Amino acid sequence: MLADLNIKDFLNRVASNSALPGGGSVAALSAALGASLSEMVANLTIGKKGYESSYEDMKAIAKEAAEYREKLIRDIDRDSDAYNQVMAAFKLPKETEEQNRERHQAIQNGLKTAASVPLEVAKDAFNIMELAGKVIKKGNKNAATDGAVGVMMARSAALSALCNVKINLASIQDDEFVRDIEQQVKAMEKQIGKKEEEVLSFMVL
């Protein structure tokens, strides 16, 4: 599994002439790092003198960030698995009319999965931006810049994942599915920039 590789080996795999891991897996990793930094700042706040009123909030944030981190670690491989599903569908036989129909349906199903996985990553990354904003605002001020990096990692992850959504939508023939996802993508793209500006405004330098 990609998620089990050490950092050096993962980067070497990304840099290789293989299509996997690609941008989708990297986006999931970026979001997971954003979650990890949010969790770290929360944990650095819990038990620290002067932040007693934030302990319970930070405990809740640390728990939620940990859940996102674990899910996004799985998404590193889920994204690559979705790509493999599409490639496997293209290799299906197409000698008869029935085989052509089955192959076409398998390709379309694979493309929908390949669009849905990064959409989930983008949504999770956006929520992580919110968590990071909370730790910047209420958490340990000595770690505020770590929270800010968490925001920016999550922002990059969200926008990157949406790029992968859009490239897969281009080949999907289910118009209703495409319209629904396109609307979600457009709304998120507008929200992401606003959210970044909002949460980084909590920084006190």
Side-chain angles (χ1 to χ4, degrees):
M1 292 178 64
L2 295 171
D4 292 330
L5 296 174
N6 64 40
I7 293 173
K8 184 176 180 180
D9 287 343
F10 183 86
L11 293 177
N12 285 337
R13 288 279 291 274
V14 172
S16 74
N17 62 357
S18 171
L20 298 176
S25 293
V26 171
L29 174 59
S30 179
L33 288 169
S36 299
L37 284 167
S38 301
E39 186 180 354
M40 181 189 80
V41 179
N43 285 326
L44 286 171
T45 305
I46 298 165
K48 186 170 179 63
K49 186 177 179 181
Y51 294 91
E52 289 82 1
S53 63
S54 296
Y55 287 176
E56 293 307 312
D57 285 343
M58 292 299 117
K59 287 177 183 177
I61 289 170
K63 181 177 183 296
E64 189 173 358
E67 290 169 354
Y68 277 122
R69 172 169 53 82
E70 291 298 328
K71 180 179 183 296
L72 287 158
I73 288 171
R74 295 191 295 272
D75 287 338
I76 293 170
D77 282 286
R78 283 183 68 218
D79 187 88
S80 292
D81 290 344
Y83 176 88
N84 284 330
Q85 181 182 341
V86 175
M87 292 300 100
F90 273 107
K91 293 177 182 177
L92 290 173
K94 50 181 177 178
E95 296 176 3
T96 68
E97 187 175 332
E98 182 179 356
Q99 286 177 340
N100 266 313
R101 282 197 302 269
E102 291 176 352
R103 177 177 178 272
H104 174 76
Q105 190 58 54
I107 291 170
Q108 289 298 304
N109 289 341
L111 288 168
K112 286 182 178 180
T113 301
S116 298
V117 171
L119 183 62
E120 284 184 36
V121 170
K123 289 177 178 178
D124 289 343
F126 182 79
N127 291 335
I128 290 163
M129 292 178 70
E130 180 74 26
L131 291 181
K134 290 178 180 178
V135 298
I136 292 171
K137 188 175 184 179
K138 295 184 177 181
N140 188 332
K141 297 304 179 187
N142 293 328
T145 53
D146 297 296
V149 173
V151 171
M152 290 182 276
M153 293 297 291
R155 170 197 175 276
S156 295
L159 292 176
S160 301
L162 291 179
C163 285
N164 276 8
V165 174
K166 290 188 284 189
I167 196 66
N168 286 296
L169 287 182
S171 300
I172 295 174
Q173 297 173 359
D174 183 337
D175 292 341
E176 184 176 351
F177 179 90
V178 171
R179 279 195 301 271
D180 176 54
I181 302 301
E182 282 180 340
Q183 289 174 359
Q184 293 185 56
V185 169
K186 288 177 182 177
M188 287 193 67
E189 286 176 332
K190 291 179 181 178
Q191 293 169 352
I192 289 165
K194 292 179 181 178
K195 179 58 65 176
E196 180 186 29
E197 184 177 351
E198 174 194 332
V199 298
L200 291 182
S201 70
F202 301 146
M203 288 285 295
V204 179
L205 299 177

